[in-house]
Amino acid sequence: MSFLKVEDIHTYYGNIQALKGISLTVEQGECVTLIGSNGAGKSTTLRSISGLTPARTGTITLDGEEITHLPAQEITGKGIAQSPEGRKCFQRMTVRENLELGAYLRRDSSQIQTDLQRVFELFPRLDERQAQKAGTMSGGEQQMLAIGRALMADPKVLLLDEPSMGISPVLTERIYETIAEINQQGMTILLVEQNANFALDVSKRAYVLETGKVAMTDNSDTLRTNPDVQKAYLGT
Amino acid sequence: MEAASIPAGPPASQRVKQLIGTYGLTAVLLIMPVWFAIQDLTDEGNLVRLGENLVAGLSNGAIWALVAIGYTLVYGIVELINFAHGEIFMIGSFISASLIVTLGLTVDSAAVPVFFGLLAALLLAMIGSGTLNVLIERVAYRPLRSAPKLAPLITAVGMSFILQNVGLLWKGGNQQGVPDLLNAQNTLFTVFGVTIENADVLSVVVTIPLLIVMTSFINRSRLGKAMRATAQDPEAARLMGINVDTTISLTFLLGGMLAGAAGLIYAMYQTTIWFFQGFTGGLIAFTAAVMGGIGNLRGAVLGGLIIGFIQQMSDNRIGTEWTPAIVFGYLVLIMVFKPSGLLGEQTRDAG
């Protein structure tokens, strides 16, 4: 029984079909990557799991419990947190307020404080900028905030949508080091990336999506040496 | 490398524009008070008349501020101008006036029953107007949330007319007198020759605590944070586990409650109510919200107070028939200098 199990989901935006039967699994403590070009359905897969764009057919289960048609806010309560595409930090709120909102559904205030310190240890930059408005920070800092905010929900599964988007290579490297660290601490992660190099480094397995379907799946190391993958996604 | 040759900072023309923007705005706002202050000083040798304008203006403006907050809160969260909001204010006046009549309170009632009667009227008007606002959102706006923006705008205008007609059926087409419980025009005390009337005190005593409670609720409470988060990014708010529908209902509830409170103050202040007060009052409060910067709470309060003051000066010295033209003239000038309003905040739409 897989921890997070997506079975044959079909998702639409209005009449346009974005996912044409995606199935995937993520085991507890694992880091799995979805790679693929623009429009392949990577973000839509994450949006279907988190309930922002619910799947029309198919099922999604977390730890044996079906969550396919729950509203997004309840899926968060079940233990799935997402750092969304484009980061979506609350621009006019401070870093600290953003992080506190990440823990919106939690009542265990002492544990929340512990997790806040943990996020600050993972991202010292956020600690320095606690009182700064999110909208005044750089893209990379906002990405750290979005990941930190998702961690504040104390999730069972962390969904990360393109953490490298619009961020300098140096900062991307730093963020990926932190993602690897979070995974080593035991967090289950489902990662989406267009820029596959870093993503294949931190993940154990990967799925390659093409036009709303799974085209290939294998261990990250194996995929890295696959000539088709190298040509299409690794730029080598 | 090329960028290095370009001088830092905005170009001169831009800087001049910014200067005009900041100082021009202040100048525009000060035209009337300064002009009348000079006039008063030369004619009377003191500023008592201007002071009286200010007091009456602020206590009137407090009513507009309370109503304006409802426009600004709702706009902030669903980016809709709730045109029915003026009518929510009118219904608040009607509810409180009816309760006062039902309780049998009159000018001659003793202080204690008047106090508790007013308190009951305030609570009932707030609950009634708040609930009505929530119902309107549920029936006329929520089903249209993903529809084009014009659709809920039209249903808002529709709700406004429907409620006006409810008011017309309820109290008839003429202005209705409300028992003058407070002896509203009675001078309570004078400060530096400026008379403070009972109604002014009521206005301040009701408005200031409400504003304090409201702002601390929005800034500090968990639900208040949920409201702000939803206003800034509804989708991200859902990812935090915030129920966006409930949060929007809460916003309409708060806006409606403040409009209900404003309805009671208006009824006691003017001692007359009628079904059309929501249309004119709503328009003025909406103007206040836009003037202050729609979406900004403090802006709505500031806009309301400024408009109250302008109205009072104009009514008292220029003539009531000119007041609307002067108020909207001010609005146009302010918008020209600062299109986002006095304390304009960036909204989702504006970027």
Side-chain angles (χ1 to χ4, degrees):
Chain A
M1 187 82 206
S2 296
F3 196 54
L4 175 67
K5 188 167 188 181
V6 175
E7 274 180 299
D8 193 30
I9 55 166
H10 294 249
T11 303
Y12 295 74
Y13 290 106
N15 290 323
I16 299 160
Q17 186 168 11
L19 300 187
K20 300 165 182 167
I22 298 260
S23 298
L24 59 89
T25 58
V26 184
E27 303 301 330
Q28 196 154 15
E30 202 181 20
C31 178
V32 173
T33 299
L34 307 183
I35 57 177
S37 53
N38 250 339
K42 307 181 301 286
S43 290
T44 310
T45 304
L46 292 195
R47 290 176 63 89
S48 298
I49 296 171
S50 63
L52 289 178
T53 315
R56 200 175 284 180
T57 59
T59 55
I60 300 169
T61 53
L62 175 69
D63 209 0
E65 187 181 357
E66 180 168 352
I67 55 166
T68 323
H69 300 293
L70 291 179
Q73 67 270 15
E74 288 177 28
I75 290 178
T76 305
K78 296 287 179 193
I80 293 186
Q82 184 177 2
S83 160
E85 187 177 11
R87 307 179 277 267
K88 285 178 168 287
C89 296
F90 299 108
Q91 304 281 313
R92 280 176 272 133
M93 293 194 195
T94 63
V95 167
R96 199 183 171 97
E97 282 179 312
N98 268 275
L99 292 173
E100 283 168 355
L101 275 165
Y104 183 76
L105 291 175
R106 300 172 59 189
R107 303 288 184 168
D108 46 343
S109 56
S110 64
Q111 194 57 44
I112 291 174
Q113 286 311 313
T114 314
D115 286 353
L116 193 63
Q117 289 316 314
R118 190 182 141 220
V119 168
F120 287 148
E121 278 162 28
L122 287 169
F123 300 109
R125 190 73 67 90
L126 297 182
D127 195 3
E128 290 160 22
R129 312 214 156 184
Q130 281 194 48
Q132 194 172 332
K133 291 254 159 60
T136 64
M137 299 203 302
S138 75
E141 290 163 342
Q142 290 195 35
Q143 185 60 58
M144 295 174 187
L145 180 55
I147 296 173
R149 188 178 63 176
L151 283 174
M152 287 303 292
D154 188 21
K156 293 178 183 163
V157 178
L158 180 64
L159 310 180
L160 301 176
D161 199 341
E162 301 234 13
S164 75
M165 193 198 269
I167 295 171
S168 73
V170 178
L171 217 48
T172 302
E173 202 174 332
R174 178 119 44 99
I175 285 175
Y176 267 96
E177 278 165 16
T178 313
I179 292 173
E181 194 182 337
I182 294 167
N183 180 231
Q184 275 152 23
Q185 290 172 1
M187 179 63 67
T188 311
I189 298 176
L190 179 57
L191 174 67
V192 154
E193 260 302 350
Q194 199 168 340
N195 170 358
N197 268 316
F198 287 114
L200 289 177
D201 267 355
V202 297
S203 61
K204 200 179 112 208
R205 292 187 300 119
Y207 292 80
V208 179
L209 304 195
E210 269 169 28
T211 60
K213 290 181 186 150
V214 176
M216 232 185 295
T217 173
D218 215 323
N219 289 329
S220 298
D221 295 335
T222 320
L223 279 175
R224 186 185 275 291
T225 54
N226 180 312
D228 291 340
V229 172
Q230 285 186 341
K231 197 169 152 222
Y233 308 110
L234 296 172
T236 45
Chain B
M1 314 312 115
E2 272 178 313
S5 61
I6 297 169
S13 63
Q14 194 105 29
R15 262 179 293 166
V16 171
K17 220 172 173 182
Q18 275 173 3
L19 277 180
I20 294 179
T22 331
Y23 294 103
L25 201 63
T26 321
V28 163
L29 284 170
L30 289 176
I31 295 171
M32 282 223 296
V34 168
W35 172 257
F36 290 131
I38 293 167
Q39 222 176 45
D40 281 1
L41 284 174
T42 46
D43 294 354
E44 322 264 345
N46 60 42
L47 290 171
V48 169
R49 193 172 167 197
L50 192 70
E52 278 176 356
N53 291 158
L54 184 66
V55 168
L58 293 184
S59 49
N60 253 315
I63 299 173
W64 306 142
L66 287 174
V67 183
I69 287 175
Y71 281 102
T72 241
L73 278 179
V74 164
Y75 184 85
I77 204 156
V78 286
E79 295 190 335
L80 164 79
I81 302 300
N82 179 13
F83 278 107
H85 193 65
E87 276 63 40
I88 299 285
F89 155 68
M90 176 268 290
I91 296 286
S93 276
F94 279 26
I95 291 174
S96 37
S98 298
L99 182 71
I100 284 164
V101 172
T102 311
L103 292 175
L105 295 171
T106 63
V107 165
D108 305 320
S109 301
V112 173
V114 164
F115 174 79
F116 285 106
L118 282 177
L119 195 63
L122 178 69
L123 290 177
L124 194 68
M126 287 175 75
I127 293 168
S129 292
T131 314
L132 185 60
N133 214 16
V134 171
L135 288 176
I136 288 176
E137 190 271 333
R138 190 72 196 79
V139 171
Y141 307 149
R142 188 176 300 182
L144 297 170
R145 199 167 299 153
S146 52
K149 289 255 158 90
L150 273 180
L153 203 65
I154 287 300
T155 53
V157 173
M159 286 315 301
S160 160
F161 279 112
I162 290 169
L163 289 177
Q164 252 179 56
N165 282 286
V166 169
L168 187 59
L169 277 170
W170 186 359
K171 300 269 182 195
N174 297 320
Q175 303 237 1
Q176 298 276 319
V178 180
D180 186 9
L181 294 189
L182 294 170
N183 225 335
Q185 308 301 319
N186 185 47
T187 302
L188 196 62
F189 54 88
T190 60
V191 186
F192 300 118
V194 176
T195 58
I196 311 283
E197 292 166 359
N198 293 353
D200 298 325
V201 175
L202 171 80
S203 180
V204 170
V205 163
V206 175
T207 306
I208 289 180
L210 280 179
L211 288 182
I212 291 172
V213 169
M214 186 65 52
T215 44
S216 57
F217 176 80
I218 289 172
N219 286 328
R220 285 174 229 277
S221 76
R222 186 168 173 270
L223 285 171
K225 275 188 188 141
M227 279 172 67
R228 286 188 294 142
T230 307
Q232 289 177 36
D233 193 327
E235 198 167 76
R238 294 182 69 200
L239 287 177
M240 301 302 107
I242 293 166
N243 186 329
V244 168
D245 283 337
T246 315
T247 309
I248 290 173
S249 290
L250 175 71
T251 309
F252 275 82
L253 180 71
L254 292 180
M257 285 170 83
L258 292 186
L264 169 83
I265 303 173
Y266 182 92
M268 289 295 101
Y269 201 105
Q270 304 289 340
T271 63
T272 57
I273 54 172
W274 71 315
F275 77 100
F276 208 58
Q277 78 181 58
F279 181 81
T280 46
L283 202 58
I284 290 168
F286 173 52
T287 308
V290 173
M291 193 183 269
I294 191 120
N296 183 310
L297 270 184
R298 281 173 302 160
V301 175
L302 185 65
L305 297 180
I306 289 175
I307 288 186
F309 189 30
I310 295 172
Q311 279 182 315
Q312 210 56 42
M313 283 189 292
S314 162
D315 279 354
N316 184 245
R317 297 157 186 267
I318 301 173
T320 42
E321 67 276 23
W322 285 100
T323 301
I326 288 169
V327 167
F328 284 94
Y330 258 89
L331 175 73
V332 170
L333 276 174
I334 288 174
M335 289 290 112
V336 167
F337 284 117
K338 201 149 188 285
S340 54
L342 291 171
L343 303 180
E345 211 170 293
Q346 284 181 338
T347 58
R348 261 182 285 144
D349 252 1

